[in-house]
Structure formats: structure tokens, C-alpha cells
Amino acid sequence: MKKLVALTCAGLMAASVVTGCASNNKEEGGSSDKRVLKVDLFSGGNGEQVFKDLETAFEETHKDVDVQLRVEKELDQVLNKENAKGEYSDVVYYNLGQPSQYTETQLNTKEVMDISDVVKEINIDPAYANSSVVQYYGDGKSYLLPLKTTPAGFFYNTELVGPGKKYELPETWDDMWALGEQAKKDGIALFTYPQAGYFDTTLMGMLDQVGGLEYFTKALKYEDGTWDSDNGKKVTETISKLVSNYLWSDTVANANTKDGFTNNQQAVLDGKALFMPNGDWIVNEMEKTTPEKGFHWGLMPLPALKEGGDRYVASMTEQVWIPKQAKNADDAKEFLKFIYSDKGVEIMAKYGNVVPTKGFQDKVDTMEDGYTKEFFSVYKDAKTVIGAFSGYDTNTLANFDLKATVFGPIDEIATGKTTVDEWQKSLSKAWKDLAANPLK
């Protein structure tokens, strides 16, 4: 195993960049007789050891390749500086949905390599292979590869909420509001969120929940009427009610303070708030402050719209991709294929990570009891939602920030600075602008 340069270790969502150099590429710092594969990783909740193990196993079967891992907490800033100098990774692990939107920017400026040949050769679940996450441009070609998948719903303490506990798990949104009123009487908030951007999977799930697949697909493509419709208003009004009436008091202040998101997550650990949107990395991320007794993480899908209605849970993926200007694309593609090999899947699973191969749920069922198995059981009682917003022309919309436009007003609704009607109007305007400026 070669070097791992760990520059920072904490993090919020795990994201990493994996890139490959030309098959005959040799760089200073690598073995002179080996091709260098520069793999850049976002430092987050997944930890580093899983990537070290992937590196070691890959090099054992690719003895002419020198994998050079680099882990950065501020990976987007590092890569932007290097890209400006004409320097590129071979593999990048950095997710869609990050505050910097680095990956979205690379996609929208057509700087991500087509990896359709890789996707055709690996054992990936068709629902993921055909999703708007992998086929970002909607042109039938693949650009992002899910490194792992995880259900992303509302996390809570099963020692406090659930069968036989102090509070019952809500089945419907009406149950959710009733629980909020009950918790208020005990001085406990129904809800908190690490940062407003964590509503991404909640929004995705609700778009499918209120209008079905057709409406969901149109919404991701910025079709006119998305937010003016009854479906769109149901989404914005539900989220608005949640943060206006039932939010933990310190949520917004913490969400906008450096590393304050962990304080909001701690609120669930301390019993100050019952639910929050998050992903499975929360277990490792908050391990040091998790009580040894009286706390166990649970995951709930979105409440149903009505009694007996369908529950929904968004399937979040963390993606790896290859920059179009990678020097060692050949080995980069082999590295991506290796992640989906039996050995790669085994290594990922060792650290509680599930690669979305065909039949991955069956493999999860055979795992030892633990959080991964518990969290993935949510798929058995809820419909899965997978998707990503379409790209747009960043030349004509150079100053447009999709994430800030969609999720930024949630903080302001919570504090009373804006209203749900104003949010809905701003979304409608944004969708018109986005529809008028598609990627070319």
C-alpha cells in the first residue's frame, strides 16, 4: 500500500474523488516502473480505512499501478485551485449536494468523463444505472458511479420513540403533527436539521410521494407548473409547517455556524429533538458523543399522506467519477470496476457500506445484525426514490445557486423572515429560468 495523505479527518457527508491517469503515465512521487493513479477523497463520515483497504486490494491485482490516495476535508477548494493550474485527479469521490456544488459545476461545464463502458461491465442495480444520478444529462450515457447507497430518512432514538417507548412512531403526517404537540408539552422539539441542505432527500421523497413518478420526473427536469400545482404546494407547505411550528429553537443558529450542524445532530442524541433528516454516516460522525445507554439510532421513512398510504424513503448515493482531463483514465476505470467486483463489495461491506449491485438487499439481509441491516430494512416497508436535478447552462446562469435557491429559504421560513408563499413563488421563477437555460 502506498501513501495516504490525510490533511483533515472530520466531515459531514463523505465524498471522494477517484481519478485515473493515462495507462503509460508515471509521475514524480510514484514508483518509476508503475503507473500513478491519483485518487482524491472527501474526508467525511465513512472514515479512511475502507479506502486504504480498497487501495491495497486493487494494487494486489494491478501490480503495475501505484494508487495514491489523498484525503481532504476542503476537497473542492483544493481541486479548484489545482484545476485552475491544469492539474486533475484521476478519480474523484465528492458527492452531489455538497454546499460548494463542485461536482454539479464539473458536470454542468462538461468536465466529467463518460463512463458508460464501465457501467455496462459492472453488476450495478438497474434502478441506479438508469437513474438521473448516474445518467445526469439524460442522454442515456453514464457519468457518475454510486460508490455506496443508503436510505436517507428521518433519524431518531429508538429508546425514546417506538413500540413500547415514551412516544409512538408516526405513520402519517397527521400523526407527526400530533406527536409534535405531545412533545411540546414535555419541552421537546419534534424536529431539527443539521443544515437546510439536508432537506435534499426529504424533498426528493416528497416530490414522488405527492405526485408519483411522472410528476417527480417532470420536477427534476424543471417543467413549468411544478411548484404552482397542488402537488408542489403540498410539498412546500408540509416542510414549512414542520420548521415553523415544530423546530428545535437553536437549529437555524447552529446550521449557519461553522461546524454547528453537529450541535443540531447532538440535539437528537440529547433528547432535545425527536427527528432529523440524515444518512447512515451519522453513526460514525457522532460516535464520540453518543450515550452508551439509553440511545440507539433508528431510521423512519417519510410519513404517509393519509392513513394506509404509501411511505417513501430517498435512496442517497455517494458518487465517484473521472474528470474528463484525467491523465490515467484507463486505470481509473479499472478502479471503478474493482469497487463493484466481489472483492470490492466485500471490502465496502466490512465497514458497513453497501454498493448498489444487483440484489444488494439480499446481501444486506445476510449481514450480521447491526445498524446497516437495521437501516436498510426500511426499504421493505417504503417505496424507494432515486434522482437528481437536471443540469443547466452555467454560462447563461453564471450567478445562479440551485442549492441556495431551493433550500436556503427554509432557514428564513423557520425564523419568520419569509413565508411559504414567497418560497413557492421563488421556486416557480427559478424553474422557469432553469427550463429556459438547459445544458447545451
Side-chain angles (χ1 to χ4, degrees), residues 334-405:
E334 290 303 311
F335 190 81
L336 298 192
K337 292 177 189 176
F338 180 76
I339 293 171
Y340 275 74
S341 69
D342 290 344
K343 185 63 176 178
V345 170
E346 177 187 331
I347 291 171
M348 292 290 289
K350 177 182 176 182
Y351 296 94
N353 301 303
V354 177
V355 180
T357 54
K358 295 176 183 176
F360 69 86
Q361 184 63 59
D362 292 336
K363 295 178 181 177
V364 172
D365 290 341
T366 64
M367 287 183 171
E368 294 182 4
D369 291 343
Y371 277 127
T372 299
K373 193 171 184 177
E374 292 173 21
F375 293 159
F376 273 78
S377 68
V378 74
Y379 286 131
K380 297 178 181 180
D381 300 313
K383 291 191 174 182
T384 305
V385 181
I386 309 171
F389 289 118
S390 299
Y392 57 89
D393 191 339
T394 54
N395 291 317
T396 55
L397 292 176
N399 297 318
F400 180 77
D401 187 331
L402 179 61
K403 193 177 183 75
T405 300

